[in-house]
């Protein structure tokens, strides 16, 4: 009887944990975005942008949205650090790919790094949220334009969305996180990862 009630209690009150990888080339704004997420969802003051340095290791952030616990993994995007990304693929439920929408000169690098991410077997079926970041700058291009530049093929099977955001003023972030949570809850990949986790 106790175990039945405990099982029911767990079903009702336990939250599903999702791992979200934040990727993108160097200076795209990944860590600034992570600090903004903490500020928006935890009411904590995030690190001010001028205190954020290029990432070499891993930054972790945790937030809760509705019934979901999100764990963000933010990695460094410098060319020599990108080979580390794949070590996190197997455990990731979804990917946020950040693009500096104010730096067209770097779109090509951003596109080829993303194509490599999407080709990797270990990330099969992971929902993809592509953020056209730095929208607070007047010269930043729109999410539609970023989508045109990236010109991604073979996305049909994958849940994906492009969104215009700013890690400085926070615009677009909550809406895209809502989309991501919904996508992860619906995704077959989450089901697959769940079935691999031994029951507690
Ligand atoms: N205007 C503007 N600048 C931003 C925004 N987000 C980040 N930046 C600036 O862009 C630069 C890079 O930001 P980071 O957050 O360190 O970028 P990153 O993607 O984490 O870089 P790596 O850790 O090297 O991969 C910094 O000078 C930030 O202040 C934004 O939304 N708007
Ligand atoms: Mg960083």
């Amino acid at each position: 009887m106790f175990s039945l009630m405990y099982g029911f209690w767990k079903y009702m009150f336990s939250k599903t944990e999702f791992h979200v990888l934040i990727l993108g080339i160097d200076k795209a704004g990944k860590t600034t975005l992570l600090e903004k997420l903490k500020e928006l969802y935890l009411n904590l003051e995030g690190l001010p942008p001028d205190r954020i340095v290029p990432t070499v290791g891993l930054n972790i952030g945790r937030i809760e949205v509705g019934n979901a616990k999100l764990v963000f993994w933010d990695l460094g995007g410098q060319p020599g650090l990108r080979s580390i990304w794949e070590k996190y693929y197997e455990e990731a439920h979804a990917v946020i790919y950040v693009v500096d929408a104010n730096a067209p000169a770097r779109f090509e690098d951003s596109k080829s790094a993303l194509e490599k991410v999407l080709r990797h077997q270990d990330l099969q079926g992971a929902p993809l949220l592509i953020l056209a970041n730095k929208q607070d700058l007047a010269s930043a291009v729109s999410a539609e334009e970023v989508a045109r530049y990236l010109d991604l093929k073979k996305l049909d099977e994958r849940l994906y969305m492009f969104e215009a955001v700013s890690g400085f003023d926070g615009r677009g972030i909550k809406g895209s996180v809502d989309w991501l949570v919904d996508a992860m809850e619906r995704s077959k990949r989450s089901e697959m990862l769940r079935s691999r986790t031994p029951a507690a």
Side-chain angles (χ1 to χ4, degrees):
M1 185 64 183
F2 172 76
S3 67
L4 198 70
M5 283 181 52
Y6 178 63
F8 179 70
W9 179 85
K10 255 182 78 175
Y11 174 76
M12 290 299 287
F13 298 108
S14 64
K15 296 190 177 212
T16 316
E17 184 169 290
F18 294 109
H19 305 144
V20 181
L21 256 179
I22 306 180
L23 301 176
I25 64 173
D26 51 295
K27 300 193 185 71
K30 301 178 291 299
T31 309
T32 307
L33 174 80
L34 179 66
E35 290 303 314
K36 190 49 113 185
L37 281 163
K38 291 191 209 164
E39 194 183 299
L40 290 174
Y41 287 89
L42 304 175
N43 290 323
L44 288 177
E45 218 161 286
L47 265 182
D50 59 351
R51 301 255 325 266
I52 295 173
V53 294
T55 308
V56 177
L58 166 73
N59 298 310
I60 297 182
R62 295 169 195 275
I63 64 168
E64 294 194 6
V65 185
N67 248 347
K69 275 187 188 173
L70 306 192
V71 181
F72 293 103
W73 294 329
D74 161 40
L75 291 160
Q78 293 173 57
L81 298 173
R82 293 179 203 166
S83 56
I84 300 169
W85 294 359
E86 64 180 36
K87 309 237 179 300
Y88 295 84
Y89 290 172
E90 221 181 326
E91 304 287 323
H93 291 82
V95 173
I96 296 181
Y97 194 81
V98 184
V99 179
D100 179 347
N102 194 49
R106 304 212 61 202
F107 285 169
E108 205 44 54
D109 189 15
S110 195
K111 174 179 161 75
S112 61
L114 176 56
E115 283 171 345
K116 195 164 174 211
V117 170
L118 296 178
R119 273 198 304 271
H120 204 289
Q121 281 294 312
D122 291 353
L123 267 181
Q124 250 188 7
L128 172 69
L129 172 63
I130 300 171
L131 299 180
N133 193 29
K134 309 197 184 180
Q135 293 295 323
D136 54 287
L137 299 171
S139 47
V141 306
S142 67
E144 291 72 24
E145 249 172 283
V146 168
R148 233 187 338 268
Y149 272 110
L150 294 183
D151 185 29
L152 298 171
K153 311 276 191 283
K154 293 193 192 154
L155 275 177
D156 26 309
E157 296 266 316
R158 193 187 288 273
L159 296 167
Y160 72 95
M161 186 174 84
F162 285 86
E163 185 71 59
V165 303
S166 164
F168 271 16
D169 63 24
R171 78 181 74 174
I173 294 180
K174 282 203 162 177
S176 32
V177 168
D178 287 347
W179 176 85
L180 193 68
V181 170
D182 183 60
M184 289 190 295
E185 283 172 344
R186 288 191 289 131
S187 121
K188 289 203 183 105
R189 180 178 172 87
S190 298
E191 229 173 85
M192 183 272 287
L193 289 176
R194 207 165 22 242
S195 68
R196 271 189 357 193
T197 313

